[in-house]
Amino acid sequence: TQSTWGLAKSSNKTDMERKQPEWHVPSAPERPTLKVRNSLASGQLVEFIPQKGNIVTWYTCGPTVYDSAHMGHARNYVMVDVLRRILEQYFGYEVQLTMNITDVDDKIIKRSRELGEDFGTFAKRWELEFMNDMKSLNVQPPEVITRVSEYIPEVVECVQRIIEHGFGYESNGSVYFDTAKFKADPKHFYGRLEPWSVMDVAKIEDGEGALSITGEKRSPTDFALWKKSKEGEPSWQSPWGLGRPGWHIECTAMAAATLPERLDIHSGGIDLRFPHHENELAQAEAYYDCPGWVNYFLHAGHLEIQGLKMSKSLKNFITIKDALQEYGAREIRMLFVMHNWDAPMCYGPSSMTESYAKVRQFSEFFQNVKVVLRNAKFEEQQAWTARDKNLMQVLNEIKQQVHAAFCDNFNTPSVLEALSALVSETNKYLNDPSERPRWPLVRSVGLFIHRIMHIFGLVEDSDIGFNVSDGNAESTIAPLMELFAQFREDIRTAGLESSKMAQPLGNAELSANLSRLLRACDRLRDEQLPQLGIRLEDRTGPHQPVVWKYIDKEDWAREKAKKAEEAEAKAAQKAALAAANKQKEEQKKAQARISPSEFMRAQTDKYSAWDEEGKPTHDVKGEPLSKSASKAALKAFETQKKLHEDFLAKGEQ
């Protein structure tokens, strides 16, 4: 028979009827959700809710291609790229992004005429430069690129429908939007973005372009949908004759051709809010005959230089190409990420120095993580201590802070602040000599920070850290570098110890040879290996491992050049100070040669009479010196007397 402890059968009826206990849903604090600053909601932070689940439709205004793009443009397009990456890579949305290229515009026509260049060829040249700039800045291309010149039929159809709906009229071969009729329709509202600007005729005329014809509109606030072309201007056939699109209609027509009727997001620079974006909204409502077209309008802040908005009209711009000659793309992107996307920010040497320092902080951290992972061994003790648990707790807290910051209007500066705090805590953990770090934990920290850097477009590789070397080459070179670095460290250590022993013996030849050996070790560390993209770090203790790290060769070259410039400037400043001190000393010597009587009598701009010793008695007007003036004159006399007596005592000439 089966033992009474057997499990196959049970004679206990209660055990047979036993059920699982009821499961309760865990309670947790409410998790933050994404909120964005929406220009259509008076700039308030509102919850982001796409119309179709995780699909986000987005239209962003692209460049007008008539000149080199400047850093103000870079800020706008890089931050659109960063926001898009956050939506896709952090929040898990599928973004469908359309960006236009305005290759038909009054500015393009005027500039190509001035240069005697074909209109289309001229625009293509600047478009290619813009695209190359974007590639250099690691800006992802949109899903759809629309050129105005390729969407003329769609523009014509859009204008026709606006006329059919009663909001457009033809005048002398041009077509205008009837703002009065639009305002009078209860379904629509003109001024959704800047209601205070709808009567600003100066802004409206600026938006119409330099080649527009005046006197054809019913109202000064009306704007061109279709422009009649004058002789020599590019033109296309339309029901109203030869002409070309107005500026605002281009975006409406191309968005309608590539995206659904109602957009989740429309974005652009803050300077486009009125009249361009305002008129886009009005046109789209008139075209679709609907009250509203965009759910979220995002406007990027200005880039300022010396307190003024950077723009071509102010002629205070720095082109992207010129900026990339001086700084790396990673430093430029980091600069933009360090500021809120919708707030104004300054560009200049000071801000770029801060950006460079931030990149260096994370680059150094990634290299420290790689050193740990290169020396990782599975057979090491992995049991956690209090310090391991503490770092894990910090990591989890930082992840929550990062999530809250991303939900807070894509607050990238707060994200960077949280990551910097995590780097500091991890560096403390790595620098603790009491025990070896737990490499799986260090790897988790590194992967998390790398993931956020990837979202910011600062890294593209899957490997941890900034992509300063070929990932495949790194795994091949690493063992060789370990041997080489250790060999160099052994040579250096032996040289240092032998040098200490040789000095008391007075062996000059041996000391010279050892000094030459140590200089070669330093030259290898400071000059030769950095040119190959590798940095060696000397050990600070006998039991510490040899450390070598990959570095960006271009960053190293820039830093070296910068240090050389600073050293040169410091030397020049020191020389100027020495020259000034020498001149001052010579002047003092020259003054010391003069007797106190001569010195005081020479000051005829202050005094008019002196006593027999040469002490002043009357001021320049012939009046007796006041008590305070007499006291000051006597002090000057005594000072010069002591100076002259010291000069005579030294016997100087």
Side-chain angles (χ1 to χ4, degrees), residues 609-621:
W610 299 261
D611 63 15
E612 62 276 8
E613 290 184 86
K615 298 174 183 175
T617 58
H618 291 71
D619 64 18
V620 71
K621 295 179 180 179

Side-chain angles (χ1 to χ4, degrees), residues 28-33 90-91 392-408 411 414-415 418-419 422 448 451-452:
E30 187 176 350
R31 187 171 168 83
T33 57
Y90 188 82
F91 289 106
M392 190 66 196
Q393 182 179 347
V394 170
L395 173 59
N396 288 331
E397 289 173 355
I398 294 297
K399 286 181 177 180
Q400 291 178 340
Q401 292 175 27
V402 167
H403 180 74
F406 275 142
C407 288
D408 181 22
N411 192 335
S414 291
V415 171
L419 295 184
L422 179 57
F448 173 68
R451 179 194 172 206
I452 304 303

